[in-house]
Amino acid sequence: MRTMKMCLATLFVVTALTGTWALTSRTPSAGAAPREEPRGDYWRNHDGHWSLWCEADKRWYYTDGTHWFWHDGKVWAPYRFDKKFGREGFVHGEYKIPEERARIVLPVHEIHRR
């Protein structure tokens, strides 16, 4: 009887671990279609940060809550509202674009690569 209980307990643990692994596995099935990119402007959380893709400018934007930045494909740079983003439907409020010589700590997180 004791051996039977041990076998059932072991079977239960193995089944629970297998089920947990199957539910948390992130490997797509072979028949799964590739994920389609959204069209137009959209926000994406990547590397722990929310960035905005602007379709009109074809580039990523990010704010740290103090300043706005854009990604040139290699690094982030302060955004001076010289492109389409922020021209329409955007309230600047008290935000002032930093001067060229202002010392700003640039973000270092990566962007989502298509």
Side-chain angles (χ1 to χ4, degrees), residues 59-60 70-76 110-111 113:
R59 62 185 188 183
W60 288 100
W70 68 280
H71 201 274
D72 68 0
K74 296 179 184 171
V75 295
W76 291 99
E110 294 294 320
I111 59 168
R113 303 272 183 204

Side-chain angles (χ1 to χ4, degrees), residues 22-85:
L23 290 174
T24 59
S25 176
R26 297 179 190 249
T27 307
S29 63
R35 185 174 163 183
E36 188 175 318
E37 288 293 325
R39 295 175 190 241
D41 299 349
Y42 63 91
W43 288 89
R44 171 166 277 151
N45 187 311
H46 180 73
D47 202 15
H49 300 275
W50 283 98
S51 300
L52 172 74
W53 173 257
C54 180
E55 187 65 32
D57 296 340
K58 302 279 191 238
R59 62 185 188 183
W60 288 100
Y61 293 97
Y62 168 75
T63 182
D64 61 2
T66 304
H67 298 291
W68 280 94
F69 304 93
W70 68 280
H71 201 274
D72 68 0
K74 296 179 184 171
V75 295
W76 291 99
Y79 179 52
R80 307 207 178 277
F81 292 88
D82 57 340
K83 292 285 188 178
K84 295 186 187 269
F85 172 69

